[in-house]
Amino acid sequence: MQFEYKVEGGDFTMAGVASSQVKKTLKQLGVDSSVIKRVVVALYEAEVNIVAHAYRGVIYVDIEGDGIKLKLVDEGPGIPDVPLAMTKGFSTASPSVREMGFGAGMGLPNISENADFFSIETQVGQGTTLQIEINFT
Amino acid sequence: MERRTTYNRALEISKDVCIGCSHCIKVCPTEALRVFGGKAGIHADWCIDCGECYRVCPTRAIGVIDDDFKQIFNYKNRVLLVPSVFFAQFEDSIPRKVIYDIIGELGFTEVCAVEQSVDTLISEINDYIHDAEKPVISSFCPAVIRLIQVRFPSLVDNIMKLLPPIEITAQYYKKRYEREGVPESEYGIFYLTPCIGKIAAVKSPVGGYTSPINGVINMDFFFNKVYLAYKQNTPITKSIKINGAISSKGVLYPTTGGESRHIKGKSLAIDGMKNVIDFLEKLENEEIKDVDFLEIRACDESCAGGILSYRNRFLTTRSLRDYASQMPDTHHLIHDYKYYCSAIVHMDKIEPRSMVKYDRDITIAIEKMESARRLKRLLPGIDCGACGAPSCEALAEDVVRGQAQVNACIFLRTVLEKMGEISLEEAIEIMENIWGSERFKNDK
């Protein structure tokens, strides 16, 4: 079962809509709540990353009987140094973003910790694609 | 559709009184209600006993399954645990002594304030939150606990594993009678409840606990009895023992903020079903950080806005504040409570109650959900409720579950009629099946 959500850069009031929708779907499917929690944490972080850093993006969600696959494709500045961005506590978020409670760092490591499979492809000046997979059992 | 389940339910719909107005189906936070055959029915597994439907029912067709009042006379000692909101139902000019006397005249031998236990509970909570998973969600409101079990199962571990004040006070009485050597058959502990959720909570408590409360009395029913006796100047012939010990904290505990303001750390107080659901959604998404304690109550203005309250919630809250300002910070039974409390205050983990929407097998559930999504795209999306379900989404789910026909939708049916797929007679019959044939008679 597939879903698609568009995300606009800079629109924090809408950040979290995709994760809320996915959460609702997984609950209705009766997926274990600890698994849902991991999906939501990972997806929410990734969704907010697009809002905070990219110009726009699309979230592709594919739910099968054994798990969920998430693909987040954004058009944005890309990540110049992926290992650095994967370091806990590292953040490039602007002060105004931090004032809103976002951008405390830990985004990517937190996503990776909650995922069974995680990959990141990025091209500076073009954008970033994240792939996250979480198994149901 | 209406059937008994393992979850004790405190609400029932009288088919004789229900006019099938559908007001209730729109307010249910778990979409547990449908109209069929001109009457509302409850999906029992999904009901959380919040009473939102009871509040909007214009004909009082939704009733409360409470205990027969006469059963109090099965016991020699009859204690009534009275919440502070009960006294605030009356005009402030009626002295409390008069109300106590009437309660005695109606048959109780002793009366006690429910919130007598909160001073001790507050210090237990402050100890508890020290090591607990944050944020700690208060266990005070039974409708919120049930809402979390059904709609937010991932948050059940955040619910505080400490008993609510009513159970601690009831345990205190049980212990006191035991100490005095009164046999169990000779005392009955009764609770006067301002809400429906607490009836279900006493009958089937969560967290591996059995309540010592022998019966629950509906506050709406009891208020009428007391107020009538007051208006008619019923002579007082019996005496009643009054255990009125309560602190200002106790008086205000059932009001919004009455709990959270005493908890160390960062706390929040949230009231009203819509606010509660919005907040729990965000909490579940982990969008909310940096909160230690959450006081969450299903009713607007907390228990002052309880389903079984008679008086306007804002006037009730004001009365409680006025009364609290005259009360001391503490009371003389606190040491007694401390002595008993630590042994009984803890409860076990609360289990989630899964709301199986489609199927227990995820692969089958996905197929069914896909069908429901396709179906939803055909529906008008205006959530008119003319099909008897609260929303287009709910109808689509019902159809996939085999509990409704897609032509229940008035929009789709009009299209089918236009295409000549169904006749006018069939269309009318479908409408009569949902809303009852009586409704379509002009001279009703």
Side-chain angles (χ1 to χ4, degrees):
Chain A
M1 186 164 37
Q2 287 159 351
F3 300 85
E4 221 180 280
Y5 303 96
K6 289 197 167 57
V7 183
E8 277 301 310
D11 190 357
F12 284 97
T13 51
M14 291 299 282
V17 169
S19 24
S20 281
Q21 286 297 321
V22 169
K23 180 182 74 178
K24 187 178 166 197
T25 304
L26 295 179
K27 273 200 229 176
Q28 290 185 346
L29 290 172
V31 174
D32 186 81
S33 58
S34 62
V35 175
I36 297 179
K37 205 168 185 166
R38 286 167 51 212
V39 173
V40 169
V41 170
L43 180 55
Y44 181 70
E45 290 279 6
E47 195 180 348
V48 170
N49 278 347
I50 298 179
V51 177
H53 303 294
Y55 313 132
R56 67 193 64 82
V58 184
I59 301 174
Y60 301 93
V61 180
D62 186 7
I63 302 171
E64 299 293 333
D66 53 354
I68 183 168
K69 290 180 181 158
L70 305 164
K71 190 173 169 186
L72 297 97
V73 182
D74 76 46
E75 293 169 41
I79 304 169
D81 187 344
V82 173
L84 183 62
M86 289 294 291
T87 312
K88 275 190 187 184
F90 175 78
S91 175
T92 58
S94 62
S96 68
V97 166
R98 288 177 203 227
E99 264 171 30
M100 294 169 82
F102 299 102
M106 286 187 57
L108 292 178
N110 201 15
I111 296 169
S112 150
E113 272 166 28
N114 281 291
D116 291 310
F117 170 82
F118 174 75
S119 81
I120 182 163
E121 281 169 51
T122 187
Q123 251 184 319
V124 175
Q126 290 193 5
T128 303
T129 297
L130 292 190
Q131 296 200 62
I132 301 163
E133 291 180 22
I134 294 172
N135 303 330
F136 290 157
T137 45
Chain B
M1 199 150 84
E2 195 129 1
R3 62 199 160 85
R4 288 272 151 196
T5 63
T6 47
Y7 308 113
N8 199 306
R9 212 155 42 81
L11 287 167
E12 65 184 352
I13 299 171
S14 164
K15 299 285 177 199
D16 296 337
V17 186
C18 177
I19 55 166
C21 69
S22 82
H23 294 186
C24 57
I25 67 172
K26 291 282 186 185
V27 297
C28 177
T30 59
E31 295 195 327
L33 288 146
R34 299 289 184 275
V35 175
F36 191 77
K39 308 288 172 188
I42 299 183
H43 195 305
D45 274 348
W46 299 355
C47 175
I48 57 165
D49 299 291
C50 65
E52 293 292 323
C53 53
Y54 179 93
R55 217 190 270 284
V56 298
C57 179
T59 60
R60 294 205 158 202
I62 297 174
V64 179
I65 310 170
D66 48 3
D67 293 309
D68 182 12
F69 186 72
K70 287 194 230 51
Q71 62 140 339
I72 71 164
F73 297 104
N74 295 342
Y75 305 90
K76 191 173 152 223
N77 300 287
R78 304 177 286 272
V79 185
L80 183 64
L81 306 181
V82 183
S84 65
V85 288
F86 177 69
F87 296 106
Q89 299 296 300
F90 298 88
E91 296 130 56
D92 299 341
S93 58
I94 304 176
R96 206 156 272 223
K97 175 77 173 72
V98 172
I99 300 171
Y100 283 139
D101 283 344
I102 295 171
I103 295 174
E105 192 57 31
L106 291 171
F108 290 98
T109 59
E110 182 164 349
V111 60
C112 168
V114 166
E115 295 85 1
Q116 202 164 74
S117 54
V118 308
D119 307 78
T120 317
L121 177 59
I122 289 167
S123 61
E124 289 282 345
I125 298 175
N126 279 320
D127 286 345
Y128 176 93
I129 62 165
H130 206 262
D131 305 313
E133 186 181 337
K134 305 282 187 319
V136 170
I137 299 174
S138 169
S139 60
F140 179 87
C141 176
V144 168
I145 292 185
R146 280 158 193 257
L147 178 73
I148 291 173
Q149 284 180 293
V150 172
R151 267 189 69 169
F152 303 96
S154 70
L155 297 175
V156 289
D157 291 337
N158 294 76
I159 300 172
M160 179 169 83
K161 294 177 203 64
L162 297 178
L163 293 176
I166 172 63
E167 293 298 341
I168 300 172
T169 308
Q171 291 279 0
Y172 166 78
Y173 263 87
K174 186 171 184 263
K175 295 272 189 273
R176 212 189 74 186
Y177 279 121
E178 277 171 9
R179 190 177 55 186
E180 289 168 5
V182 182
E184 214 177 310
S185 58
E186 283 188 10
Y187 64 87
I189 303 168
F190 297 90
Y191 169 47
L192 185 60
T193 181
C195 86
I196 291 163
K198 293 217 173 76
I199 298 179
V202 168
K203 302 287 170 194
S204 62
V206 291
Y209 172 79
T210 313
S211 176
I213 295 169
N214 298 81
V216 183
I217 303 193
N218 174 339
M219 195 172 87
D220 176 44
F221 159 86
F222 197 70
F223 169 81
N224 281 331
K225 263 177 113 73
V226 173
Y227 201 51
L228 186 68
Y230 169 74
K231 284 284 179 197
Q232 296 182 341
N233 274 318
T234 302
I236 303 300
T237 60
K238 299 170 190 153
S239 67
I240 183 162
K241 196 173 159 199
I242 299 161
N243 174 2
I246 189 166
S247 68
S248 55
K249 287 181 198 139
V251 174
L252 290 177
Y253 207 72
T255 63
T256 301
E259 210 176 343
S260 62
R261 76 166 67 97
H262 303 296
I263 307 306
K264 290 179 201 136
K266 289 186 181 169
S267 65
L268 272 180
I270 295 145
D271 64 359
M273 189 54 93
K274 194 184 171 300
N275 298 333
V276 168
I277 290 172
D278 285 352
F279 191 87
L280 292 176
E281 282 286 347
K282 289 200 182 304
L283 185 64
E284 198 179 46
N285 290 1
E286 305 218 349
E287 289 176 49
I288 291 163
K289 288 169 182 127
D290 223 13
V291 184
D292 299 314
F293 182 81
L294 291 167
E295 168 198 308
I296 311 187
R297 309 262 177 90
C299 294
D300 188 3
E301 288 288 307
S302 296
C303 302
I307 306 286
L308 303 173
S309 283
Y310 152 82
R311 201 180 188 192
N312 175 279
R313 64 191 60 175
F314 301 105
L315 298 177
T316 303
T317 304
R318 193 192 59 193
S319 275
L320 288 166
R321 288 206 186 110
D322 289 348
Y323 188 65
S325 67
Q326 303 159 30
M327 299 307 282
D329 274 353
T330 180
H331 63 76
H332 70 277
L333 291 174
I334 283 180
H335 291 292
D336 267 22
Y337 271 87
K338 227 179 183 77
Y339 179 71
Y340 291 124
C341 198
S342 50
I344 53 98
V345 72
H346 294 272
M347 62 179 182
D348 296 345
K349 179 178 163 20
I350 293 169
E351 296 298 331
R353 261 169 67 175
S354 78
M355 189 171 167
V356 182
K357 278 254 173 178
Y358 298 104
D359 202 280
R360 291 196 184 275
D361 181 316
I362 290 185
T363 312
I364 300 171
I366 290 174
E367 277 169 31
K368 287 189 176 176
M369 189 187 253
E370 290 253 44
S371 311
R373 277 178 74 201
R374 279 195 297 274
L375 199 54
K376 203 187 141 195
R377 277 184 222 125
L378 298 174
L379 299 173
I382 59 165
D383 299 340
C384 67
C387 58
S391 61
C392 294
E393 190 170 351
L395 174 65
E397 290 164 9
D398 286 355
V399 171
V400 171
R401 269 197 302 269
Q403 290 167 349
Q405 298 286 326
V406 66
N407 58 21
C409 172
I410 196 162
F411 279 71
L412 288 189
R413 207 160 56 238
T414 309
V415 174
L416 292 174
E417 269 182 85
K418 190 182 167 195
M419 288 160 61
E421 296 279 335
I422 59 170
S423 67
L424 179 63
E425 285 70 29
E426 282 172 293
I428 291 171
E429 200 189 321
I430 292 166
M431 215 55 179
E432 285 179 344
N433 283 341
I434 301 168
W435 296 99
S437 50
E438 287 298 308
R439 196 179 287 270
F440 296 91
K441 289 179 183 154
N442 290 330
D443 58 347
K444 67 172 184 229

